[in-house]
Amino acid sequence: MKKCPECGDEKLMHVKDKGEVVCRSCGLVLEEKMVDFGQEWTEHDNNDDSKRRAGAPLTYTQHDQGLGTEIGNSSDLYKLNNKDKFKRLIKWQRRVSTAIERNLQLALSELKRISSYLKLAPAVEEESARIYTLAVQRGLVKGRGLEHIVAGSVYIASRVNDCSLTMDDICNASGIDKKTLGKNYRFILRKLEIKLMPADPINYVYKYASELGLSPVTQTKALKLIDKIKNNGLNSGKSPKAIAAGAIYLAAIINGEKRTQEKVAMVSNVTEVTIRNRYKEFSTKLGLDKQLSKIQASA
DNA sequence: AAGACGAAAGTGGTTGA
DNA sequence: TCAACAACTTTCGTCTT
């Protein structure tokens, strides 16, 4: 059993889908982004080639998924048979591949641009490309800006993958205003019948806490608060950013690492008013107000 | 002077008729 | 499609430390 080098505790936990191992007591991240490079099948005898694959993996980030084949003009067949037939084939391949593929080429280069600007994880980029490809195939891009659908796909992919990108981030990267992005991503959701879970405040806690320079203890305190908030149904209908910000503000005070509302508002992109409303609500409804006024009295 | 507080008015999203 | 509603924002004056 592994121990946490920080506090020596053995209670380690896996954070879902993130490939991280975190110490339950102090919040230290021990391992992150673990990838298993081994093969995913068991080899029973050395001659079993049935599951081996060849070639590059399929990817949606290339317009033909990396599988494109072109009719060449130097093949033996070309030389042997009549040339007219092959010229016609080449011509037709070009024609057929134009509409959707050219669109995809353009869109994917836009996606690459956004992706590198936001430093997206490859999995998120891949998912964005997949969603976009589906959208094109269903003809959703017709009559709409290509870049709008790209931005929408990126937003959906980031939500699906629980990475803490906000609409504002995507807007900055793509130069599209929030209203348009909102319209388009919901349009894609509806047409592709994708169901989106509300974003989890927990994903924002890691980000905000590190930007505020808060200790791991405070971070885990905030996570525990969010747990309670969820159990008491205080999260429904509220913005996950606001919940994370409020919980962090409260956790920081309780742990004697107080940050000003202004600073928390800065990193979380919620207003001080909202942080006040949330943390007040949390402290009263979770019965922390007495503890809180004690701390504030002694400060 | 900085930070916290809360009222008032406005915005955008959701829901239900 | 429209109205009602809660959450959130913006702005601003006041209070506290």
Side-chain angles (χ1 to χ4, degrees), chain A residues 110-130:
Chain A
E110 169 69 3
L111 171 62
K112 278 260 156 44
R113 196 186 63 74
I114 294 180
S115 169
S116 72
Y117 183 95
L118 293 171
K119 301 187 176 54
L120 290 184
V124 179
E125 188 181 331
E126 181 74 26
E127 178 71 8
S128 315
R130 195 182 68 82

Side-chain angles (χ1 to χ4, degrees), chain A residues 52-200:
Chain A
R52 294 245 171 94
R53 298 176 195 74
L58 279 180
T59 174
Y60 283 95
T61 53
Q62 286 176 20
H63 65 93
D64 52 12
Q65 300 182 33
L67 277 180
T69 305
E70 285 198 4
I71 299 168
N73 54 12
S74 61
S75 76
D76 292 342
L77 279 171
Y78 181 79
K79 282 171 196 155
L80 287 173
N81 290 295
N82 70 57
K83 291 190 177 185
D84 284 351
K85 192 174 174 186
F86 275 87
K87 278 191 178 152
R88 272 208 309 282
L89 275 176
I90 292 166
K91 203 187 210 172
W92 272 104
Q93 187 191 33
R94 298 228 167 103
R95 255 182 222 170
V96 166
S97 67
T98 48
I100 287 183
E101 286 200 15
R102 216 179 275 162
N103 179 309
L104 275 177
Q105 278 179 40
L106 271 173
L108 293 174
S109 74
E110 169 69 3
L111 171 62
K112 278 260 156 44
R113 196 186 63 74
I114 294 180
S115 169
S116 72
Y117 183 95
L118 293 171
K119 301 187 176 54
L120 290 184
V124 179
E125 188 181 331
E126 181 74 26
E127 178 71 8
S128 315
R130 195 182 68 82
I131 293 168
Y132 185 85
T133 308
L134 281 174
V136 177
Q137 286 166 354
R138 302 276 181 89
L140 303 185
V141 189
K142 275 179 198 158
R144 264 161 237 269
L146 174 152
E147 62 274 24
H148 295 169
I149 303 295
V150 172
S153 307
V154 174
Y155 181 65
I156 294 170
S158 78
R159 286 281 301 273
V160 169
N161 281 282
D162 272 351
C163 71
S164 52
L165 282 179
T166 60
M167 282 179 75
D168 287 312
D169 296 328
I170 314 272
C171 291
N172 280 334
S174 62
I176 294 169
D177 65 283
K178 218 169 162 179
K179 203 172 170 181
T180 317
L181 174 61
K183 242 194 251 167
N184 282 293
Y185 101 79
R186 276 194 300 275
F187 173 74
I188 302 171
L189 283 185
R190 203 174 39 207
K191 291 291 177 182
L192 297 184
E193 291 173 32
I194 301 173
K195 291 268 186 313
L196 221 47
M197 287 286 130
D200 195 330

